[in-house]
Amino acid sequence: MNATRSTFAGLALAALLALPGCGATLRLDTDRPHSLAASNEAESTLRTHLSTHIPQGESGFHLLHDGHAALAARLALAQRATRTLDVQYYLFHNDTTGRMVAASLLAAAERGVRVRVLIDDIDTADKELRLATLNLHPNIEVRLFNPFHTRSTNLLVKGWQALRESVRLNRRMHNKAFIADNQIGITGGRNIGDEYFDAHNDLAFIDLDVIAAGAVVDNLSQSFDTYWNSIAAVPASALPVRSSEKRLQRVADTLQRFRRSQLDSDYGRKLTAADPIPGLLSGRTPWIVAHADLIVDPPGKVLKRSKPTSQLLMGQLAGLWIDPTRRALIVSPYFVPGAAGMAYFQYWRSHGVQVDVLTNAFAASDVPLVHAGYANYRIPLLEAGVSLYELKPAEDPIGGRLRDLGSGSSRASLHAKTFVFDDAYVFIGSFNFDPRSALLNTEMGLVIHSPELARQVTAIVEDAMRPERSFQPRLIRIRERGTVVKQLRWHDVHEGAVRVFDVEPETTRVQRGLLRMLQALPIEEHL
């Protein structure tokens, strides 16, 4: 879920209604001690295990498609770390999974592991005391990235700041990384929250992460260090709240009790069964050994309106000279290609490249504003020969591995961000194919040179693209009063029967009216 879009729309509206009240401010003169990741040559239990299975100087990978496995892997790494844990996220919720991760980080700190936690400030207003309390632990340091200087949960106060400093505050750190001992890291699309790990009752995000081990992890750690030591990262000690050692102990005890109770629940037993780390460390589960490139935006992207394109993630991707010659498979929950994206697609299609795009259907999207931006491009994309697939919002009775969501959630939404080029190169990361990811937020991801991993990702995506799981919009032309009119028809299969819709499937007339109004707004660069 990208909270920036919906949050800033609400804040801007609130700010227009009234002037802000008073609010405490960050202490921006707080010391920001410089620190770096542990050497990847340093001895650790994880390094000893990996040396048996991944050749020196090489990198290994394992796909995390299942939500239970994705959370279990993070908890397992926190449990096995002996030196450092570096954790970087856009969102870190205070829900079941968020508390389990926090408890694991605290337990590691109690063992003497140095824990650094870097969180974007978009969603921390009601979490200040908890963050300040964790920051009191001698082995834990918490920093907020690109923070609001005036601290308040009042929407009027935040809205006024959002308007006054829109250039800075509208730009967020969307990166995601979880790194243990500079030996094993996890990156991809998931934030820390129930909806990302099949633990939410009403919503489940279909997402994708990758476990990385070996040489490339040092690149992940260097990226973390760059953000951690950036001027945009402010220590939690700067927050205008007071905590205490007594409160820290109380929080630690509460979190550990909660963690134990959860691990003893049905959900906890599913986590234990899905945990991929024991198999990877023992060799029972093989690593995919391959070369990879980390591409990541500079943290200064949030501070300046423009950066040389070559320095940004998309410029770095272009600099790898990985240009598809047969097929480009694009998965993005928020898909607004813009003029640059359209130029790529048209160029690829003119050279015979098959281009397939999987995104959310309107009924599955959690940000209607962005779907409106995508809707403006559907006809041009189809005219260019791009095939579109829109994931349905809920599982069909046919079942299947993609949508068998363990939480029993009533609604599913695509959240994975991945590209596959020529069945040989795979990008997995935080980057949505939209202007916000390209120009405003900071993003990161791994480009992995592996036909085997490409086959795994392609199989997952093609499963999602089947007509039982996705609507496929197609373009038709009809003649009305002597004029050729372009119209969309959505095709799918439901309970074995072919269906055709001439309006957005599973939407109401009111929703479709709202979509038409949103399509007319001149705000594409902020989507």
Side-chain angles (χ1 to χ4, degrees), residues 116-179:
R116 297 186 294 177
V117 180
L118 180 60
I119 306 174
D120 187 86
D121 193 44
I122 190 66
D123 189 39
T124 66
D126 60 346
K127 303 177 179 68
E128 289 186 352
L129 183 57
R130 287 187 286 272
L131 294 174
T133 300
L134 287 177
N135 193 63
L136 283 178
H137 195 287
N139 290 327
I140 298 178
E141 188 175 356
V142 179
R143 293 188 180 182
L144 305 180
F145 194 83
N146 196 21
F148 285 74
H149 293 166
T150 301
R151 312 303 297 180
S152 176
T153 57
N154 187 313
L155 279 179
L156 300 180
V157 177
K158 294 194 74 173
W160 181 252
Q161 286 189 85
L163 282 178
R164 188 181 60 199
E165 296 187 74
S166 60
V167 171
R168 178 177 72 88
L169 292 178
N170 192 31
R171 295 165 177 258
R172 308 311 317 172
M173 181 193 75
H174 199 230
N175 310 36
K176 296 121 168 80
F178 194 105
I179 309 165

Side-chain angles (χ1 to χ4, degrees), residues 437-490:
S437 282
L439 303 173
L440 300 178
N441 290 349
T442 68
E443 308 287 355
M444 67 184 297
L446 288 170
V447 179
I448 305 168
H449 306 227
S450 169
E452 184 177 353
L453 196 67
R455 284 192 294 271
Q456 290 184 16
V457 174
T458 298
I460 292 169
V461 177
E462 289 183 342
D463 180 59
M465 286 160 46
R466 292 190 293 120
E468 291 85 359
R469 304 193 187 285
S470 290
F471 304 112
Q472 184 177 16
R474 299 176 188 171
L475 183 62
I476 66 168
R477 293 174 173 83
I478 60 176
R479 184 171 293 276
E480 291 183 355
R481 300 177 182 177
T483 302
V484 175
V485 178
K486 301 171 186 176
Q487 292 188 357
L488 293 173
R489 295 285 187 272
W490 285 261

Side-chain angles (χ1 to χ4, degrees), residues 94-96 98-100 102-104 106-107 130 133-134 246-262:
N94 183 39
D95 52 15
T96 296
R99 281 178 281 176
M100 290 180 74
S104 297
L106 262 170
R130 287 187 286 272
T133 300
L134 287 177
K246 182 181 293 186
R247 179 179 177 84
L248 172 62
Q249 188 58 54
R250 188 166 64 247
V251 167
D253 292 342
T254 300
L255 284 174
Q256 296 310 328
R257 285 196 301 271
F258 179 81
R259 179 172 174 266
R260 287 193 294 270
S261 70
Q262 288 300 311

Side-chain angles (χ1 to χ4, degrees), residues 63-78:
L63 204 61
L64 289 174
H65 174 50
D66 175 73
H68 296 126
L71 177 60
R74 288 164 168 86
L75 299 179
L77 290 182

Side-chain angles (χ1 to χ4, degrees), residues 279-352:
L280 289 167
L281 294 181
S282 68
R284 295 194 310 272
T285 302
W287 292 93
I288 296 175
V289 177
H291 173 74
D293 297 287
L294 175 67
I295 54 177
V296 55
D297 282 316
K301 183 181 179 183
V302 303
L303 302 176
K304 295 183 180 179
R305 180 173 291 276
S306 62
K307 281 276 186 182
T309 303
S310 61
Q311 293 183 16
L312 303 183
L313 183 144
M314 283 302 285
Q316 295 171 41
L317 179 60
L320 295 177
W321 296 100
I322 300 174
D323 205 20
T325 59
R326 299 187 306 277
R327 187 188 190 190
L329 182 59
I330 310 293
V331 179
S332 180
Y334 315 113
F335 180 70
V336 185
M342 285 298 303
Y344 272 114
F345 296 145
Q346 289 164 347
Y347 173 79
W348 291 340
R349 289 296 300 134
S350 71
H351 286 74

